[in-house]
Amino acid sequence: SARTAVDDPLYGAARDVAKGLAGRGWMVVTGGGPGIMQAGMEGAGRERSIGVSIRLPFEQSANPVIAGDEKYVSMKYFFTRKLMLVKESRGFICLPGGFGTLDELFESLTLIQTGKIEHFPIVLVGTGYWGGLLDWMRTTLLPAAAIAEADLGLVRLTDDPAEAARVVASAYSRQLEMARRRAERA
């Protein structure tokens, strides 16, 4: 969320997750704005940050970490921004946010579920925030046969920033190993 304050524990969690990913050599892509997006970029550092913002009338200018950097772009349309966020991603770590965060979360879940993109881990940080949504999926979507039991496995829930970074990094390591084995057999 762009509205998350610096003194919110989730701000620190976002910074810690990004620091853990950048420490493994990963680039961290956020919307480039304030709040949790800025926290992520603070954790990753300017050299490991990419900002993909959306032009909105009421908020969202580049945060001080990424402002003026060539790795910051501003999009007019949400669908273009989502394409840029998903296209090269190897994992999503979602911290609490509003409709935009939910839109990006469900877009990625839909693309993975339908096989339109390669499966990557989706980690939700904040059990108090995301737990109710996952409960709703279990108690409403699953009994209605709107999703399969396996679809619930597309998401991982944690409060631990180090675990969130570890889940993404280890999934990518497994993908690389599988690709290496396929190449050896070919």
Side-chain angles (χ1 to χ4, degrees):
S1 175
R3 298 178 179 119
T4 303
V6 176
D7 61 350
D8 188 310
L10 290 167
Y11 192 99
R15 192 174 43 235
D16 293 346
V17 167
K19 185 176 182 180
L21 290 169
R24 290 174 166 89
W26 288 65
M27 295 298 292
V28 174
V29 183
T30 78
I36 282 181
M37 295 174 282
Q38 181 171 328
M41 292 183 150
E42 286 174 4
R46 186 177 178 110
E47 63 283 348
R48 291 263 168 221
S49 294
I50 298 173
V52 184
S53 74
I54 185 76
R55 288 179 229 140
L56 298 173
F58 50 87
E59 63 181 40
Q60 198 80 14
S61 58
N63 66 55
V65 178
I66 199 71
D69 193 293
E70 64 183 14
K71 298 184 311 300
Y72 172 78
V73 294
S74 182
M75 304 288 172
K76 182 176 182 180
Y77 299 108
F78 279 102
F79 73 89
T80 310
R81 178 182 187 216
K82 285 192 293 186
L83 175 66
M84 296 303 296
L85 288 172
V86 172
K87 185 176 179 297
E88 300 298 328
S89 290
R90 297 295 176 255
F92 266 22
I93 298 177
C94 298
L95 283 98
F99 290 142
T101 302
L102 293 169
D103 178 45
E104 292 159 1
L105 167 63
F106 281 106
E107 174 90 5
S108 61
L109 284 170
T110 301
L111 293 172
I112 291 169
Q113 179 201 46
T114 58
K116 296 300 180 186
I117 62 172
E118 190 173 325
H119 181 252
F120 57 69
I122 299 173
V123 183
L124 307 178
V125 177
T127 56
Y129 190 85
W130 297 109
L133 177 63
L134 294 177
D135 288 344
W136 175 77
M137 289 178 179
R138 275 186 216 93
T139 61
T140 304
L141 296 180
L142 195 56
I147 62 171
E149 181 77 36
D151 294 332
L152 293 172
L154 296 175
V155 199
R156 180 89 166 259
L157 179 63
T158 186
D159 286 315
D160 181 3
E163 179 184 359
R166 194 170 41 253
V167 166
V168 171
S170 67
Y172 185 63
S173 293
R174 284 191 304 276
Q175 289 173 347
L176 288 176
E177 180 60 24
M178 289 183 343
R180 184 188 63 75
R181 288 181 185 170
R182 281 193 301 270
E184 286 176 355
R185 287 191 299 260

